[in-house]
Amino acid sequence: MTSETPLTIPTPEQIRRAPKVLLHDHLDGGLRPATIIELAREVGYEGLPESEDAERLDSWFRESADSGSLERYLETFSHTCAVMQTRDALVRVAAECAEDLAADGVVYAEVRYAPEQHLEAGLTLEQVVEAVNEGFREGERRAREAGRRIRVGALLTAMRHAARALEIAELANRYRDLGVVGFDIAGAEAGHPPTRHLDAFEYLKRENNHFTIHAGEAFGLPSIWQALQWCGADRLGHGVRIIDDIQVADDGQVKLGRLASYVRDKRVPLELCPSSNLQTGAAASYAEHPIGLLRRLHFRATVNTDNRLMSGTSMSGEFQHLVDTFRYTLDDMQWFTVNAMKSAFIPFDERLAMINEVVKPGYAKLKSEWLFHDPAPGAAPTSGSADSAG
Ligand SMILES: O=c1[nH]cnc2c1ncn2[C@@H]1O[C@H](CO)[C@@H](O)[C@H]1O
Ligand SMILES: [Zn+2]
């Protein structure tokens, strides 16, 4: 019997330690439930559906978001935004976000939020951005003290049903190189085409700035087509419905339509968020989630959390589901992670250094661990026993 390099199906602990890159995470979708309760008390917000028990509040968010509709999913954000109206609250939430991501093994994250949703207590747009930036820096510092490394950049989101996109785009441009790395639009997709905000996208293009657009989540190909060909998005937030332009015949032959070909040929990054899609009804199960096919077809697919609170997830959680469903290996995880890092909005030299100095060495270390494993006498092999056809 010859011994072969095992195909390393990562253990939960390895998934957590693996360096991960996150491009699509909402600040107001990732609060710690206990923090929501404390902040609600501090600011006198009485609208929480559960104001005593953090665990029950946590379940409430997950269950309410698990509605099968994007519109109902989005209603849960009124509670998180309600407690994110003061400078101190924003600093705290942002710091805890960076801390939580670092503890989960995320080394680089772009976290988005809509400044226009944090003005109810009188903050200006600038004060909102500065508070969140301060929080991210504080969280990075706490992570460093705990022996972890993370870099967090902000994406400023404009709400697609509102009419402030140009103003928010200008804000993103003003805080460029000061913690803000790009722009986004979010909110209910049906009935709110991205072309309504063309002035904002054209402005950002003239400024050589970057943006992503939530598209192809609740609404299909026309939304993706507009986001790319009318608005010029650098990345697609979700983009999962690109699957509607891919035909798989019974014999396994795959045919890409024009739009799907464009997305793959131009290496358009897809910010896929599997658990979120299950909740809003964009996919029926992990096994049926298009990420499996998109990965096989070598689209520029990335793995993301979207809203850690509403989906009860984390980057490790998302990867765990994919590992369980598709038997992904550490090589697959590395592929998704390198894809994400290539697609980040920070400068090319920094992305390259992150890939070569942080991501690849991290995976190389994990992939070599089996060599030094000291199995208990007589113990059966655990991980790494997948056959090579997987
Ligand atoms: O998956 C999503 N699709 C569309 N909009 C979203 C999604 N998740 C969150 N938001 C919206 O983005 C705002 C800023 O962070 C949130 O308040 C929420 O309304
Ligand atoms: Zn989102």
PDB file of all heavy atoms in Angstrom, residues 125-158:
ATOM      1  N   LEU A 125     -23.618  63.059   7.985  1.00  0.00           N
ATOM      2  CA  LEU A 125     -23.054  61.933   7.232  1.00  0.00           C
ATOM      3  C   LEU A 125     -21.570  61.756   7.556  1.00  0.00           C
ATOM      4  O   LEU A 125     -21.085  60.639   7.739  1.00  0.00           O
ATOM      5  CB  LEU A 125     -23.230  62.164   5.730  1.00  0.00           C
ATOM      6  CG  LEU A 125     -24.659  62.098   5.176  1.00  0.00           C
ATOM      7  CD1 LEU A 125     -24.693  62.570   3.719  1.00  0.00           C
ATOM      8  CD2 LEU A 125     -25.221  60.675   5.276  1.00  0.00           C
ATOM      9  N   GLU A 126     -20.860  62.873   7.647  1.00  0.00           N
ATOM     10  CA  GLU A 126     -19.419  62.810   7.932  1.00  0.00           C
ATOM     11  C   GLU A 126     -19.164  62.211   9.314  1.00  0.00           C
ATOM     12  O   GLU A 126     -18.255  61.405   9.503  1.00  0.00           O
ATOM     13  CB  GLU A 126     -18.776  64.204   7.858  1.00  0.00           C
ATOM     14  CG  GLU A 126     -18.614  64.751   6.455  1.00  0.00           C
ATOM     15  CD  GLU A 126     -19.915  65.288   5.843  1.00  0.00           C
ATOM     16  OE1 GLU A 126     -20.936  65.376   6.565  1.00  0.00           O
ATOM     17  OE2 GLU A 126     -19.908  65.599   4.634  1.00  0.00           O
ATOM     18  N   GLN A 127     -19.970  62.631  10.290  1.00  0.00           N
ATOM     19  CA  GLN A 127     -19.776  62.105  11.650  1.00  0.00           C
ATOM     20  C   GLN A 127     -20.031  60.604  11.703  1.00  0.00           C
ATOM     21  O   GLN A 127     -19.355  59.879  12.436  1.00  0.00           O
ATOM     22  CB  GLN A 127     -20.702  62.835  12.635  1.00  0.00           C
ATOM     23  CG  GLN A 127     -20.234  64.253  12.934  1.00  0.00           C
ATOM     24  CD  GLN A 127     -21.275  65.056  13.717  1.00  0.00           C
ATOM     25  OE1 GLN A 127     -22.481  64.862  13.549  1.00  0.00           O
ATOM     26  NE2 GLN A 127     -20.806  65.946  14.571  1.00  0.00           N
ATOM     27  N   VAL A 128     -20.988  60.143  10.914  1.00  0.00           N
ATOM     28  CA  VAL A 128     -21.279  58.708  10.870  1.00  0.00           C
ATOM     29  C   VAL A 128     -20.048  57.966  10.333  1.00  0.00           C
ATOM     30  O   VAL A 128     -19.567  57.001  10.936  1.00  0.00           O
ATOM     31  CB  VAL A 128     -22.513  58.419   9.985  1.00  0.00           C
ATOM     32  CG1 VAL A 128     -22.681  56.926   9.753  1.00  0.00           C
ATOM     33  CG2 VAL A 128     -23.772  59.003  10.619  1.00  0.00           C
ATOM     34  N   VAL A 129     -19.526  58.445   9.218  1.00  0.00           N
ATOM     35  CA  VAL A 129     -18.382  57.765   8.595  1.00  0.00           C
ATOM     36  C   VAL A 129     -17.176  57.780   9.538  1.00  0.00           C
ATOM     37  O   VAL A 129     -16.483  56.764   9.707  1.00  0.00           O
ATOM     38  CB  VAL A 129     -18.022  58.447   7.253  1.00  0.00           C
ATOM     39  CG1 VAL A 129     -16.739  57.869   6.673  1.00  0.00           C
ATOM     40  CG2 VAL A 129     -19.178  58.272   6.259  1.00  0.00           C
ATOM     41  N   GLU A 130     -16.954  58.922  10.186  1.00  0.00           N
ATOM     42  CA  GLU A 130     -15.785  59.004  11.072  1.00  0.00           C
ATOM     43  C   GLU A 130     -15.938  58.094  12.291  1.00  0.00           C
ATOM     44  O   GLU A 130     -14.966  57.482  12.759  1.00  0.00           O
ATOM     45  CB  GLU A 130     -15.532  60.465  11.456  1.00  0.00           C
ATOM     46  CG  GLU A 130     -14.907  61.195  10.265  1.00  0.00           C
ATOM     47  CD  GLU A 130     -14.880  62.726  10.387  1.00  0.00           C
ATOM     48  OE1 GLU A 130     -14.891  63.219  11.533  1.00  0.00           O
ATOM     49  OE2 GLU A 130     -14.856  63.387   9.329  1.00  0.00           O
ATOM     50  N   ALA A 131     -17.155  57.984  12.810  1.00  0.00           N
ATOM     51  CA  ALA A 131     -17.378  57.102  13.968  1.00  0.00           C
ATOM     52  C   ALA A 131     -17.124  55.647  13.584  1.00  0.00           C
ATOM     53  O   ALA A 131     -16.450  54.904  14.307  1.00  0.00           O
ATOM     54  CB  ALA A 131     -18.797  57.272  14.495  1.00  0.00           C
ATOM     55  N   VAL A 132     -17.649  55.248  12.443  1.00  0.00           N
ATOM     56  CA  VAL A 132     -17.462  53.847  12.015  1.00  0.00           C
ATOM     57  C   VAL A 132     -15.976  53.575  11.752  1.00  0.00           C
ATOM     58  O   VAL A 132     -15.438  52.546  12.184  1.00  0.00           O
ATOM     59  CB  VAL A 132     -18.322  53.528  10.773  1.00  0.00           C
ATOM     60  CG1 VAL A 132     -17.985  52.144  10.220  1.00  0.00           C
ATOM     61  CG2 VAL A 132     -19.814  53.610  11.117  1.00  0.00           C
ATOM     62  N   ASN A 133     -15.306  54.510  11.098  1.00  0.00           N
ATOM     63  CA  ASN A 133     -13.871  54.317  10.855  1.00  0.00           C
ATOM     64  C   ASN A 133     -13.102  54.178  12.160  1.00  0.00           C
ATOM     65  O   ASN A 133     -12.221  53.328  12.291  1.00  0.00           O
ATOM     66  CB  ASN A 133     -13.294  55.500  10.056  1.00  0.00           C
ATOM     67  CG  ASN A 133     -13.659  55.409   8.575  1.00  0.00           C
ATOM     68  OD1 ASN A 133     -14.134  54.382   8.111  1.00  0.00           O
ATOM     69  ND2 ASN A 133     -13.442  56.499   7.855  1.00  0.00           N
ATOM     70  N   GLU A 134     -13.459  55.027  13.115  1.00  0.00           N
ATOM     71  CA  GLU A 134     -12.779  54.963  14.413  1.00  0.00           C
ATOM     72  C   GLU A 134     -13.007  53.585  15.051  1.00  0.00           C
ATOM     73  O   GLU A 134     -12.082  52.985  15.607  1.00  0.00           O
ATOM     74  CB  GLU A 134     -13.344  56.066  15.319  1.00  0.00           C
ATOM     75  CG  GLU A 134     -12.568  56.248  16.594  1.00  0.00           C
ATOM     76  CD  GLU A 134     -13.204  57.338  17.478  1.00  0.00           C
ATOM     77  OE1 GLU A 134     -13.684  58.356  16.932  1.00  0.00           O
ATOM     78  OE2 GLU A 134     -13.224  57.143  18.704  1.00  0.00           O
ATOM     79  N   GLY A 135     -14.212  53.096  14.943  1.00  0.00           N
ATOM     80  CA  GLY A 135     -14.521  51.772  15.491  1.00  0.00           C
ATOM     81  C   GLY A 135     -13.721  50.665  14.816  1.00  0.00           C
ATOM     82  O   GLY A 135     -13.198  49.771  15.483  1.00  0.00           O
ATOM     83  N   PHE A 136     -13.625  50.738  13.503  1.00  0.00           N
ATOM     84  CA  PHE A 136     -12.848  49.706  12.803  1.00  0.00           C
ATOM     85  C   PHE A 136     -11.387  49.724  13.258  1.00  0.00           C
ATOM     86  O   PHE A 136     -10.778  48.678  13.472  1.00  0.00           O
ATOM     87  CB  PHE A 136     -12.935  49.891  11.277  1.00  0.00           C
ATOM     88  CG  PHE A 136     -14.259  49.475  10.681  1.00  0.00           C
ATOM     89  CD1 PHE A 136     -14.748  50.096   9.537  1.00  0.00           C
ATOM     90  CD2 PHE A 136     -15.012  48.459  11.239  1.00  0.00           C
ATOM     91  CE1 PHE A 136     -15.960  49.718   8.965  1.00  0.00           C
ATOM     92  CE2 PHE A 136     -16.233  48.064  10.680  1.00  0.00           C
ATOM     93  CZ  PHE A 136     -16.704  48.701   9.549  1.00  0.00           C
ATOM     94  N   ARG A 137     -10.822  50.957  13.385  1.00  0.00           N
ATOM     95  CA  ARG A 137      -9.430  51.033  13.825  1.00  0.00           C
ATOM     96  C   ARG A 137      -9.282  50.464  15.238  1.00  0.00           C
ATOM     97  O   ARG A 137      -8.329  49.770  15.554  1.00  0.00           O
ATOM     98  CB  ARG A 137      -8.913  52.484  13.810  1.00  0.00           C
ATOM     99  CG  ARG A 137      -8.958  53.218  12.459  1.00  0.00           C
ATOM    100  CD  ARG A 137      -8.045  52.654  11.395  1.00  0.00           C
ATOM    101  NE  ARG A 137      -8.575  51.497  10.701  1.00  0.00           N
ATOM    102  CZ  ARG A 137      -9.563  51.510   9.769  1.00  0.00           C
ATOM    103  NH1 ARG A 137     -10.136  52.640   9.411  1.00  0.00           N
ATOM    104  NH2 ARG A 137      -9.941  50.403   9.187  1.00  0.00           N
ATOM    105  N   GLU A 138     -10.235  50.768  16.101  1.00  0.00           N
ATOM    106  CA  GLU A 138     -10.211  50.249  17.469  1.00  0.00           C
ATOM    107  C   GLU A 138     -10.293  48.706  17.457  1.00  0.00           C
ATOM    108  O   GLU A 138      -9.560  48.026  18.182  1.00  0.00           O
ATOM    109  CB  GLU A 138     -11.375  50.862  18.262  1.00  0.00           C
ATOM    110  CG  GLU A 138     -11.642  50.244  19.625  1.00  0.00           C
ATOM    111  CD  GLU A 138     -10.488  50.383  20.612  1.00  0.00           C
ATOM    112  OE1 GLU A 138      -9.632  51.277  20.392  1.00  0.00           O
ATOM    113  OE2 GLU A 138     -10.428  49.595  21.568  1.00  0.00           O
ATOM    114  N   GLY A 139     -11.172  48.170  16.630  1.00  0.00           N
ATOM    115  CA  GLY A 139     -11.318  46.714  16.538  1.00  0.00           C
ATOM    116  C   GLY A 139     -10.044  46.058  16.006  1.00  0.00           C
ATOM    117  O   GLY A 139      -9.635  44.999  16.489  1.00  0.00           O
ATOM    118  N   GLU A 140      -9.416  46.700  15.020  1.00  0.00           N
ATOM    119  CA  GLU A 140      -8.155  46.153  14.498  1.00  0.00           C
ATOM    120  C   GLU A 140      -7.100  46.127  15.604  1.00  0.00           C
ATOM    121  O   GLU A 140      -6.331  45.174  15.723  1.00  0.00           O
ATOM    122  CB  GLU A 140      -7.647  47.023  13.334  1.00  0.00           C
ATOM    123  CG  GLU A 140      -8.478  46.911  12.060  1.00  0.00           C
ATOM    124  CD  GLU A 140      -8.093  47.946  11.001  1.00  0.00           C
ATOM    125  OE1 GLU A 140      -7.441  48.957  11.343  1.00  0.00           O
ATOM    126  OE2 GLU A 140      -8.468  47.757   9.831  1.00  0.00           O
ATOM    127  N   ARG A 141      -7.105  47.203  16.404  1.00  0.00           N
ATOM    128  CA  ARG A 141      -6.139  47.286  17.502  1.00  0.00           C
ATOM    129  C   ARG A 141      -6.400  46.169  18.529  1.00  0.00           C
ATOM    130  O   ARG A 141      -5.482  45.485  18.960  1.00  0.00           O
ATOM    131  CB  ARG A 141      -6.258  48.670  18.157  1.00  0.00           C
ATOM    132  CG  ARG A 141      -5.093  49.077  19.003  1.00  0.00           C
ATOM    133  CD  ARG A 141      -5.018  50.586  19.222  1.00  0.00           C
ATOM    134  NE  ARG A 141      -6.297  51.216  19.452  1.00  0.00           N
ATOM    135  CZ  ARG A 141      -6.831  52.167  18.669  1.00  0.00           C
ATOM    136  NH1 ARG A 141      -6.183  52.592  17.614  1.00  0.00           N
ATOM    137  NH2 ARG A 141      -8.005  52.687  18.944  1.00  0.00           N
ATOM    138  N   ARG A 142      -7.656  45.976  18.899  1.00  0.00           N
ATOM    139  CA  ARG A 142      -7.977  44.914  19.877  1.00  0.00           C
ATOM    140  C   ARG A 142      -7.591  43.551  19.330  1.00  0.00           C
ATOM    141  O   ARG A 142      -7.117  42.695  20.062  1.00  0.00           O
ATOM    142  CB  ARG A 142      -9.471  44.925  20.200  1.00  0.00           C
ATOM    143  CG  ARG A 142      -9.872  46.065  21.097  1.00  0.00           C
ATOM    144  CD  ARG A 142     -11.352  45.889  21.458  1.00  0.00           C
ATOM    145  NE  ARG A 142     -11.990  47.161  21.665  1.00  0.00           N
ATOM    146  CZ  ARG A 142     -13.310  47.373  21.575  1.00  0.00           C
ATOM    147  NH1 ARG A 142     -14.116  46.388  21.270  1.00  0.00           N
ATOM    148  NH2 ARG A 142     -13.807  48.565  21.799  1.00  0.00           N
ATOM    149  N   ALA A 143      -7.817  43.363  18.019  1.00  0.00           N
ATOM    150  CA  ALA A 143      -7.455  42.075  17.412  1.00  0.00           C
ATOM    151  C   ALA A 143      -5.946  41.873  17.513  1.00  0.00           C
ATOM    152  O   ALA A 143      -5.473  40.788  17.862  1.00  0.00           O
ATOM    153  CB  ALA A 143      -7.915  42.035  15.960  1.00  0.00           C
ATOM    154  N   ARG A 144      -5.188  42.934  17.226  1.00  0.00           N
ATOM    155  CA  ARG A 144      -3.726  42.839  17.313  1.00  0.00           C
ATOM    156  C   ARG A 144      -3.290  42.448  18.717  1.00  0.00           C
ATOM    157  O   ARG A 144      -2.424  41.615  18.909  1.00  0.00           O
ATOM    158  CB  ARG A 144      -3.103  44.190  16.945  1.00  0.00           C
ATOM    159  CG  ARG A 144      -2.336  44.157  15.654  1.00  0.00           C
ATOM    160  CD  ARG A 144      -1.490  45.386  15.374  1.00  0.00           C
ATOM    161  NE  ARG A 144      -1.961  46.663  15.851  1.00  0.00           N
ATOM    162  CZ  ARG A 144      -2.800  47.480  15.190  1.00  0.00           C
ATOM    163  NH1 ARG A 144      -3.291  47.123  14.015  1.00  0.00           N
ATOM    164  NH2 ARG A 144      -3.141  48.644  15.693  1.00  0.00           N
ATOM    165  N   GLU A 145      -3.932  43.075  19.714  1.00  0.00           N
ATOM    166  CA  GLU A 145      -3.588  42.762  21.104  1.00  0.00           C
ATOM    167  C   GLU A 145      -3.876  41.302  21.417  1.00  0.00           C
ATOM    168  O   GLU A 145      -3.228  40.704  22.272  1.00  0.00           O
ATOM    169  CB  GLU A 145      -4.373  43.660  22.059  1.00  0.00           C
ATOM    170  CG  GLU A 145      -3.690  45.002  22.272  1.00  0.00           C
ATOM    171  CD  GLU A 145      -4.617  46.031  22.898  1.00  0.00           C
ATOM    172  OE1 GLU A 145      -5.646  45.625  23.491  1.00  0.00           O
ATOM    173  OE2 GLU A 145      -4.319  47.232  22.784  1.00  0.00           O
ATOM    174  N   ALA A 146      -4.867  40.744  20.745  1.00  0.00           N
ATOM    175  CA  ALA A 146      -5.212  39.334  20.988  1.00  0.00           C
ATOM    176  C   ALA A 146      -4.396  38.412  20.084  1.00  0.00           C
ATOM    177  O   ALA A 146      -4.674  37.214  19.985  1.00  0.00           O
ATOM    178  CB  ALA A 146      -6.699  39.131  20.756  1.00  0.00           C
ATOM    179  N   GLY A 147      -3.399  38.981  19.377  1.00  0.00           N
ATOM    180  CA  GLY A 147      -2.523  38.153  18.542  1.00  0.00           C
ATOM    181  C   GLY A 147      -3.097  37.837  17.177  1.00  0.00           C
ATOM    182  O   GLY A 147      -2.676  36.883  16.525  1.00  0.00           O
ATOM    183  N   ARG A 148      -4.099  38.624  16.734  1.00  0.00           N
ATOM    184  CA  ARG A 148      -4.685  38.366  15.420  1.00  0.00           C
ATOM    185  C   ARG A 148      -4.438  39.552  14.508  1.00  0.00           C
ATOM    186  O   ARG A 148      -4.165  40.656  14.960  1.00  0.00           O
ATOM    187  CB  ARG A 148      -6.191  38.143  15.555  1.00  0.00           C
ATOM    188  CG  ARG A 148      -6.523  37.011  16.483  1.00  0.00           C
ATOM    189  CD  ARG A 148      -7.998  36.683  16.431  1.00  0.00           C
ATOM    190  NE  ARG A 148      -8.265  35.558  17.306  1.00  0.00           N
ATOM    191  CZ  ARG A 148      -8.755  35.657  18.537  1.00  0.00           C
ATOM    192  NH1 ARG A 148      -9.070  36.835  19.033  1.00  0.00           N
ATOM    193  NH2 ARG A 148      -8.930  34.595  19.280  1.00  0.00           N
ATOM    194  N   ARG A 149      -4.599  39.301  13.202  1.00  0.00           N
ATOM    195  CA  ARG A 149      -4.391  40.393  12.250  1.00  0.00           C
ATOM    196  C   ARG A 149      -5.611  40.529  11.364  1.00  0.00           C
ATOM    197  O   ARG A 149      -6.086  39.559  10.799  1.00  0.00           O
ATOM    198  CB  ARG A 149      -3.179  40.096  11.367  1.00  0.00           C
ATOM    199  CG  ARG A 149      -1.897  39.948  12.152  1.00  0.00           C
ATOM    200  CD  ARG A 149      -0.713  39.969  11.241  1.00  0.00           C
ATOM    201  NE  ARG A 149      -0.684  38.787  10.367  1.00  0.00           N
ATOM    202  CZ  ARG A 149       0.310  38.526   9.540  1.00  0.00           C
ATOM    203  NH1 ARG A 149       1.313  39.378   9.430  1.00  0.00           N
ATOM    204  NH2 ARG A 149       0.291  37.458   8.792  1.00  0.00           N
ATOM    205  N   ILE A 150      -6.103  41.728  11.250  1.00  0.00           N
ATOM    206  CA  ILE A 150      -7.218  41.975  10.321  1.00  0.00           C
ATOM    207  C   ILE A 150      -7.119  43.401   9.807  1.00  0.00           C
ATOM    208  O   ILE A 150      -6.692  44.313  10.521  1.00  0.00           O
ATOM    209  CB  ILE A 150      -8.596  41.737  10.974  1.00  0.00           C
ATOM    210  CG1 ILE A 150      -9.716  41.883   9.918  1.00  0.00           C
ATOM    211  CG2 ILE A 150      -8.833  42.693  12.150  1.00  0.00           C
ATOM    212  CD1 ILE A 150     -11.061  41.363  10.358  1.00  0.00           C
ATOM    213  N   ARG A 151      -7.512  43.574   8.567  1.00  0.00           N
ATOM    214  CA  ARG A 151      -7.685  44.916   7.994  1.00  0.00           C
ATOM    215  C   ARG A 151      -9.115  45.044   7.549  1.00  0.00           C
ATOM    216  O   ARG A 151      -9.633  44.170   6.866  1.00  0.00           O
ATOM    217  CB  ARG A 151      -6.773  45.086   6.775  1.00  0.00           C
ATOM    218  CG  ARG A 151      -5.611  46.015   7.058  1.00  0.00           C
ATOM    219  CD  ARG A 151      -4.846  46.276   5.810  1.00  0.00           C
ATOM    220  NE  ARG A 151      -5.462  47.335   5.001  1.00  0.00           N
ATOM    221  CZ  ARG A 151      -4.907  47.802   3.902  1.00  0.00           C
ATOM    222  NH1 ARG A 151      -3.758  47.297   3.481  1.00  0.00           N
ATOM    223  NH2 ARG A 151      -5.476  48.750   3.214  1.00  0.00           N
ATOM    224  N   VAL A 152      -9.745  46.152   7.930  1.00  0.00           N
ATOM    225  CA  VAL A 152     -11.146  46.364   7.567  1.00  0.00           C
ATOM    226  C   VAL A 152     -11.280  47.670   6.782  1.00  0.00           C
ATOM    227  O   VAL A 152     -10.811  48.727   7.229  1.00  0.00           O
ATOM    228  CB  VAL A 152     -12.051  46.434   8.820  1.00  0.00           C
ATOM    229  CG1 VAL A 152     -13.510  46.606   8.411  1.00  0.00           C
ATOM    230  CG2 VAL A 152     -11.899  45.178   9.672  1.00  0.00           C
ATOM    231  N   GLY A 153     -11.906  47.608   5.627  1.00  0.00           N
ATOM    232  CA  GLY A 153     -12.229  48.801   4.851  1.00  0.00           C
ATOM    233  C   GLY A 153     -13.736  48.963   4.827  1.00  0.00           C
ATOM    234  O   GLY A 153     -14.469  47.979   4.924  1.00  0.00           O
ATOM    235  N   ALA A 154     -14.202  50.207   4.698  1.00  0.00           N
ATOM    236  CA  ALA A 154     -15.646  50.449   4.667  1.00  0.00           C
ATOM    237  C   ALA A 154     -16.122  50.639   3.232  1.00  0.00           C
ATOM    238  O   ALA A 154     -15.426  51.207   2.396  1.00  0.00           O
ATOM    239  CB  ALA A 154     -15.971  51.686   5.490  1.00  0.00           C
ATOM    240  N   LEU A 155     -17.325  50.131   2.964  1.00  0.00           N
ATOM    241  CA  LEU A 155     -18.029  50.457   1.718  1.00  0.00           C
ATOM    242  C   LEU A 155     -19.249  51.278   2.125  1.00  0.00           C
ATOM    243  O   LEU A 155     -19.991  50.878   3.017  1.00  0.00           O
ATOM    244  CB  LEU A 155     -18.498  49.189   1.007  1.00  0.00           C
ATOM    245  CG  LEU A 155     -17.437  48.179   0.554  1.00  0.00           C
ATOM    246  CD1 LEU A 155     -18.106  46.963  -0.098  1.00  0.00           C
ATOM    247  CD2 LEU A 155     -16.468  48.823  -0.430  1.00  0.00           C
ATOM    248  N   LEU A 156     -19.454  52.402   1.480  1.00  0.00           N
ATOM    249  CA  LEU A 156     -20.642  53.200   1.789  1.00  0.00           C
ATOM    250  C   LEU A 156     -21.769  52.810   0.848  1.00  0.00           C
ATOM    251  O   LEU A 156     -21.622  52.845  -0.373  1.00  0.00           O
ATOM    252  CB  LEU A 156     -20.337  54.696   1.663  1.00  0.00           C
ATOM    253  CG  LEU A 156     -19.224  55.238   2.563  1.00  0.00           C
ATOM    254  CD1 LEU A 156     -19.204  56.769   2.523  1.00  0.00           C
ATOM    255  CD2 LEU A 156     -19.344  54.740   4.001  1.00  0.00           C
ATOM    256  N   THR A 157     -22.888  52.448   1.457  1.00  0.00           N
ATOM    257  CA  THR A 157     -24.050  52.002   0.702  1.00  0.00           C
ATOM    258  C   THR A 157     -25.069  53.129   0.588  1.00  0.00           C
ATOM    259  O   THR A 157     -25.295  53.853   1.555  1.00  0.00           O
ATOM    260  CB  THR A 157     -24.703  50.800   1.438  1.00  0.00           C
ATOM    261  OG1 THR A 157     -23.811  49.687   1.396  1.00  0.00           O
ATOM    262  CG2 THR A 157     -26.030  50.397   0.809  1.00  0.00           C
ATOM    263  N   ALA A 158     -25.681  53.248  -0.593  1.00  0.00           N
ATOM    264  CA  ALA A 158     -26.855  54.119  -0.733  1.00  0.00           C
ATOM    265  C   ALA A 158     -28.061  53.203  -0.872  1.00  0.00           C
ATOM    266  O   ALA A 158     -27.962  52.128  -1.469  1.00  0.00           O
ATOM    267  CB  ALA A 158     -26.717  55.011  -1.958  1.00  0.00           C
TER     268      ALA A 158
END
